[in-house]
């Protein structure tokens, strides 16, 4: 019985891992990275919703992806989950922040422009329902989400 459960667990994990895609956009003089998940039922023929989930300061897309887990819900609810990385002023750091407000935490990047370019790229390359694009974030990620939505 344990062997059957283990095999099922590995099969579920591997199906989710196969859907993960890492990509990047050259924006404002920097290569900006992100990860996203297409639901296993994705065919590209029907437009589906997309959620962009933004990490807090001093974190990254991988850490946030493992905490937020939108990809697990997206796989059953049929939506694309996107996890972009902010930037850091320290060249080799993997702890990123978003330029979300005047007293930003270490980033002077044009993150609003980057996120808009990311949305445009996803719309161009995948069947995204442009009436159902959502953005969420935690802490500094929530602040940049607010900035994107309000235009402030």
């Amino acid at each position: 019985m344990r062997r059957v459960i283990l095999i099922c667990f590995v099969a579920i994990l591997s199906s989710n891992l196969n859907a993960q895609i890492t990509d990047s956009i050259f924006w404002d003089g920097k290569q900006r990275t992100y990860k996203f998940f297409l639901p296993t039922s994705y065919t590209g023929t029907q437009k589906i919703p997309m959620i962009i989930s933004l990490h807090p300061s001093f974190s990254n897309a991988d850490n946030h992806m493992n905490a937020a887990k939108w990809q697990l819900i997206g796989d059953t609810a049929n939506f694309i989950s996107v996890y972009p990385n902010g930037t850091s002023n320290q060249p080799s750091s993997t702890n990123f922040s978003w330029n979300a407000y005047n007293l930003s935490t270490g980033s002077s990047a044009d993150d609003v422009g980057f996120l808009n370019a990311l949305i445009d790229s996803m719309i161009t390359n995948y069947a995204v329902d442009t009436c159902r694009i959502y953005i969420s974030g935690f802490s500094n990620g929530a602040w940049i989400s607010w900035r994107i939505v309000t235009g402030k």
Side-chain angles (χ1 to χ4, degrees), residues 136-152:
S136 72
F138 180 74
S139 190
N140 180 236
W143 278 101
I144 191 70
S145 296
W146 178 83
R147 189 171 172 202
I148 291 283
V149 172
T150 63
K152 295 183 180 183

Side-chain angles (χ1 to χ4, degrees), residues 64-83:
H64 188 61
M65 172 185 68
N66 291 327
K69 301 182 188 216
W70 283 110
Q71 68 276 15
L72 300 179
I73 300 165
D75 200 44
T76 57
N78 200 36
F79 63 81
I80 300 168
S81 308
V82 184
Y83 299 95

